[in-house]
């Protein structure tokens, strides 16, 4: 798989520019971190890649095919290859559906591509639950019976149900407790290793992105201001915004903490 | 059914039970349904229900032999009132179900698609709202002839816009929820998104409105019967019973007071039940 975004722009009305000439390239099997504050255009970019909103101009090439110009049937097949895990695990699961139904639904929608019948779907749901660290005892439970971390695992299982090649992670840990964040990040990392997925990891958490991403890009007011290898960008940001952003990152060394007395 | 869902239901019922007015509503509605189901088979004078008359026993006052007295044809008012519950309840339920079904369809399509389709459907809905419902129902009933089916159709025709507006608003609010966006990102089609994701999550306000509307639907059916374009005699119906009795007031008050009380009780019961259901199902509206 390869994803190439070329000169993507998105305007709302005449005055609001959500994305301004964004170009990115994701390589097979990497974790690409996209860093930006609220309102920087991160969410609009994901919605364009998922085909939920048409861009004003520019192209999104997935394996060389421009997905902004696909017909309805071709776009439907494409959706099985690009999936997303949302930020808020409390809002992203339908409260009226059981864990089984939530994870099985993508297989029903894409049964033409996946060819799984009823019995096989249930087996696959159990397999996916195991993959994300849950078990068959969770099949018939409803979202409100799970903790935040468990719900996020269900969201991950749902995204994996259609065997995607690219997984968009839209701040997958920012709504979770710190201890649970680490568990979910470790889970995402091991899944990537096992399934050979490509990740587009969107976050405003610099500590997290430094840990997980191979390469990063900074997005500011809908414009990519900096991109490169993670270590390189964090070591020496070349733009004013990059320097300002990285200077705001808390220092992990307690001796250098501003809260330290003496 | 999973344990937690069962627990939620029990919790809801506990909240419902704590309000005694809701319980009164539930008891009235349950009694009405029971009477409508088995009553006509148990009435003391089934021959009067079928249209038989007994001119030697006209206008008897309520007594141990005829609890609600007899009317101008010597028919037992108690038998007629009990038998009338079936027609009224059936008509009320039919009106509400038809109106809710069509209104939900229109409202869901308008709210989900938005744009010009929304505009067109909602302006049509507004147009239907501006027509006085009773007058529209009278016109339809007059054009298509009297009868239970036509009465129900006529009232439902003027009833659905309320549901359409309610459902449109709820769908518009729900379609921005993340789980709906997740379903779209998965490639779910519109029928699946509406049927599996949006509508099950807005069922509560629809059920509440159906329950609250039941009483008024029964009242409207009775009103049409009262003005003489509803169900035709000899089929006993509360509105038409009241209409005939009107000429004999106030001397033979029992011919009017009992069918009238039945209408009052039905409207009252369904309203209390609807209020109780709203307290349980819609936490936002709770006092």
């Amino acid at each position: 798989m390869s994803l190439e975004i070329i000169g993507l722009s998105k305007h709302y009305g005449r005055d609001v520019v959500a994305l301004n000439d964004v170009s990115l390239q994701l390589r097979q099997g990497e974790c690409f971190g996209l860093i930006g504050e609220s309102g920087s255009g991160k969410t609009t970019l994901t919605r364009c890649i998922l085909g939920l909103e048409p861009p004003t101009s520019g192209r999104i090439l997935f394996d060389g095919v421009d997905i902004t110009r696909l017909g309805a049937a071709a776009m439907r097949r494409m959706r099985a290859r690009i999936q997303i895990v949302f930020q808020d695990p409390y809002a992203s699961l339908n409260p009226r559906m059981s864990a089984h139904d939530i994870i099985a639904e993508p297989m029903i929608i894409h049964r033409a591509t996946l060819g799984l019948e009823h019995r096989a779907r249930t087996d696959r749901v159990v397999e996916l639950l195991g993959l994300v660290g849950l078990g068959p005892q969770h099949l018939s439970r409803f979202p409100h019976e799970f903790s935040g971390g468990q719900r996020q695992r269900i969201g991950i299982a749902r995204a994996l149900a259609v065997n995607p090649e690219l997984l968009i992670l839209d701040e997958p840990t920012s709504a979770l407790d710190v201890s649970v964040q680490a568990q979910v990040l470790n889970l995402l990392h091991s899944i990537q290793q096992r399934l050979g997925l490509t990740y587009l990891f969107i976050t405003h958490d610099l500590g997290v992105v430094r840990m997980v991403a191979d390469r990063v890009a900074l997005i500011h007011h809908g414009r990519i201001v900096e991109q490169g290898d993670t270590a390189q960008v964090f070591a020496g940001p070349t733009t004013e915004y990059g320097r300002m952003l990285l200077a705001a990152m808390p220092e992990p060394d307690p001796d250098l903490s501003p809260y330290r007395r003496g | 059914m999973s344990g937690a869902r069962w627990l939620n239901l029990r919790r809801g019922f506990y909240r419902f039970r704590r309000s005694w007015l809701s319980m009164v509503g539930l008891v009235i509605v349950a009694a009405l349904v029971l009477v409508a189901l088995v009553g006509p088979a148990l009435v003391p004078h089934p021959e009067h229900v079928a249209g038989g008359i007994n001119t030697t026993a006209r206008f008897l006052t309520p007594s141990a032999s005829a609890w609600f007295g007899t009317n101008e044809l010597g028919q037992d008012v108690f038998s007629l009132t009990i038998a009338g519950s079936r027609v009224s309840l059936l008509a009320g339920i039919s009106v509400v179900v038809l109106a809710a079904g069509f209104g939900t369809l229109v409202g869901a399509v308008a709210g989900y698609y938005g744009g010009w389709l929304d505009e067109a459907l909602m302006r049509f809905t507004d147009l239907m709202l501006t027509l006085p419902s009773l007058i529209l129902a009278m016109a339809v009933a007059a054009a298509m002839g009297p009868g239970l089916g036509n009465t129900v159709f006529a009232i439902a025709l003027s009833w659905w816009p309320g549901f359409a507006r309610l459902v449109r608003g709820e769908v518009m609010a729900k379609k921005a929820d993340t789980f709906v966006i997740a379903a779209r990102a998965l490639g779910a089609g519109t029928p699946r998104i509406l049927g599996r994701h949006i509508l099950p999550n807005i069922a509560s306000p629809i059920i509440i409105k159906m329950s609250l509307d039941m009483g008024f639907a029964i009242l409207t059916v009775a009103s049409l019967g009262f003005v003489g374009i509803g169900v035709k005699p000899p089929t006993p119906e509360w509105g038409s019973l009241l209409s005939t009795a009107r000429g004999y007031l106030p001397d033979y008050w029992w011919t009017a007071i009992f069918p009238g009380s039945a209408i009052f009780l039905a409207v009252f019961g369904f309203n209390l039940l609807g209020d109780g259901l709203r307290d349980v199902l819609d936490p936002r509206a709770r006092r």
Side-chain angles (χ1 to χ4, degrees):
Chain A
M1 96 99 227
S2 74
L3 181 76
E4 199 174 347
I5 297 167
I6 304 162
L8 198 72
S9 295
K10 174 76 186 176
H11 301 197
Y12 292 101
R14 205 177 302 161
D15 304 323
V16 183
V17 181
L19 293 175
N20 188 354
D21 195 21
V22 168
S23 295
L24 289 174
Q25 210 174 347
L26 268 68
R27 301 180 195 136
Q28 161 77 39
E30 75 172 340
C31 180
F32 189 95
L34 184 66
I35 307 166
E37 19 184 306
S38 310
S40 59
K42 293 176 301 189
T43 306
T44 308
L45 183 63
T46 53
R47 293 176 71 102
C48 287
I49 297 174
L50 289 166
L52 297 175
E53 274 181 48
T56 310
S57 64
R59 293 188 294 162
I60 302 171
L61 301 179
F62 191 88
D63 277 349
V65 181
D66 188 351
I67 60 177
T68 62
R69 283 174 179 72
L70 284 180
M75 190 62 216
R76 203 177 158 88
R77 281 193 297 279
M78 184 59 80
R79 288 186 197 283
R81 304 175 67 186
I82 306 174
Q83 267 308 307
I84 179 163
V85 176
F86 290 95
Q87 172 180 14
D88 185 353
Y90 293 89
S92 59
L93 305 178
N94 184 341
R96 302 265 168 178
M97 283 167 82
S98 67
H100 171 274
D101 291 351
I102 288 171
I103 300 172
E105 185 176 40
M107 301 180 226
I108 298 172
I109 295 167
H110 292 282
R111 63 182 173 277
T113 322
L114 299 167
L116 288 176
E117 283 320 306
H118 185 77
R119 181 81 47 89
R121 279 202 295 269
T122 302
D123 292 344
R124 175 92 173 112
V125 170
V126 173
E127 184 193 330
L128 285 161
L129 279 175
L131 187 69
V132 297
L134 296 172
Q137 73 274 20
H138 297 113
L139 275 177
S140 59
R141 297 203 192 155
F142 285 82
H144 70 266
E145 300 174 60
F146 291 101
S147 69
Q150 286 174 320
R151 289 186 209 204
Q152 198 58 302
R153 287 166 194 267
I154 293 171
I156 294 169
R158 169 177 62 185
L160 294 176
V162 287
N163 301 318
E165 297 157 51
L166 170 66
L167 202 55
I168 299 173
L169 303 162
D170 186 2
E171 309 208 25
T173 58
S174 65
L176 304 175
D177 289 348
V178 176
S179 58
V180 181
Q181 278 188 20
Q183 291 170 15
V184 171
L185 288 173
N186 287 335
L187 174 70
L188 286 169
H189 185 69
S190 75
I191 287 172
Q192 187 182 26
Q193 298 299 311
R194 266 161 85 177
L195 305 179
L197 299 174
T198 307
Y199 282 172
L200 175 57
F201 198 110
I202 294 164
T203 186
H204 59 248
D205 188 329
L206 295 165
V208 165
V209 85
R210 188 176 198 174
M211 186 172 100
V212 300
D214 302 311
R215 293 191 302 139
V216 294
L218 304 187
I219 185 167
H220 185 53
H221 291 326
R223 205 186 270 279
I224 301 286
V225 292
E226 191 149 350
Q227 72 174 302
D229 289 337
T230 307
Q232 191 188 325
V233 170
F234 274 79
T238 55
T239 59
E240 190 55 38
Y241 178 71
R243 272 192 289 276
M244 191 198 81
L245 195 69
L246 295 176
M249 187 167 66
E251 180 58 59
D253 184 349
D255 288 337
L256 299 175
S257 164
Y259 294 104
R260 193 180 169 87
R261 295 225 194 122
Chain B
M1 188 179 290
S2 77
R5 187 169 258 205
W6 179 237
L7 196 70
N8 264 6
L9 270 180
R10 275 184 38 194
R11 241 180 240 146
F13 186 67
Y14 173 74
R15 267 206 311 267
F16 187 86
R17 235 176 23 199
R18 282 193 2 171
S19 143
W20 66 271
L21 275 178
S22 311
M23 283 309 287
V24 169
L26 183 67
V27 167
I28 293 175
V29 169
L32 274 174
V33 170
L34 192 71
V35 162
L37 284 177
V38 304
L42 300 176
V43 293
H45 294 282
E47 75 277 8
H48 292 166
V49 174
I53 55 175
N54 178 11
T55 42
T56 57
R58 298 175 72 220
F59 294 127
L60 294 180
T61 48
S63 65
S65 59
W67 293 352
F68 292 178
T70 60
N71 65 7
E72 79 285 359
L73 299 172
Q75 293 169 323
D76 179 31
V77 176
F78 179 69
S79 300
L80 295 181
T81 306
I82 293 293
S85 66
R86 184 173 278 185
V87 174
S88 291
L89 227 56
L90 191 70
I93 291 172
S94 313
V95 165
V96 169
V97 167
L98 277 177
F102 188 65
T104 300
L105 183 72
V106 171
V109 168
Y112 187 74
Y113 285 103
W116 65 267
L117 192 59
D118 179 29
E119 281 295 319
L121 286 173
M122 290 329 282
R123 291 300 80 76
F124 176 61
T125 307
D126 289 346
L127 185 73
M128 296 300 287
L129 267 180
T130 60
L131 297 172
S133 62
L134 204 57
I135 306 288
L136 179 69
M138 284 168 69
V140 171
M144 295 174 33
L148 186 61
N150 290 350
T151 308
V152 166
F153 175 77
I155 301 172
L157 196 62
S158 62
W159 212 282
W160 65 266
F163 282 95
R165 291 176 69 127
L166 171 78
V167 170
R168 172 178 175 266
E170 296 284 337
V171 167
M172 286 175 75
K174 271 282 173 285
K175 79 171 175 183
D177 274 15
T178 315
F179 67 85
V180 175
I181 296 180
R184 283 176 60 202
L186 280 168
T190 307
R192 168 171 285 273
I193 290 175
L194 277 176
R196 289 280 284 162
H197 294 280
I198 296 183
L199 289 181
N201 282 292
I202 61 167
S204 301
I206 299 175
I207 291 170
I208 293 161
K209 185 167 167 58
M210 284 175 80
S211 174
L212 286 172
D213 280 10
M214 263 298 287
F216 296 108
I218 290 173
L219 193 62
T220 311
V221 172
S223 309
L224 282 182
F226 186 78
V227 296
I229 50 174
V231 185
K232 280 287 154 196
T235 311
E237 196 271 326
W238 293 339
S240 47
L241 289 177
L242 208 54
S243 174
T244 359
R246 188 181 50 125
Y248 306 108
L249 281 174
D251 300 334
Y252 309 114
W253 51 269
W254 56 87
T255 55
I257 205 95
F258 292 109
S261 304
I263 296 171
F264 164 78
L265 207 62
V267 177
F268 187 60
F270 275 106
N271 271 302
L272 290 183
L273 178 69
D275 273 340
L277 282 179
R278 185 175 53 203
D279 288 348
V280 172
L281 296 175
D282 191 358
R284 284 171 301 180
R286 206 177 300 148
R287 287 173 295 239

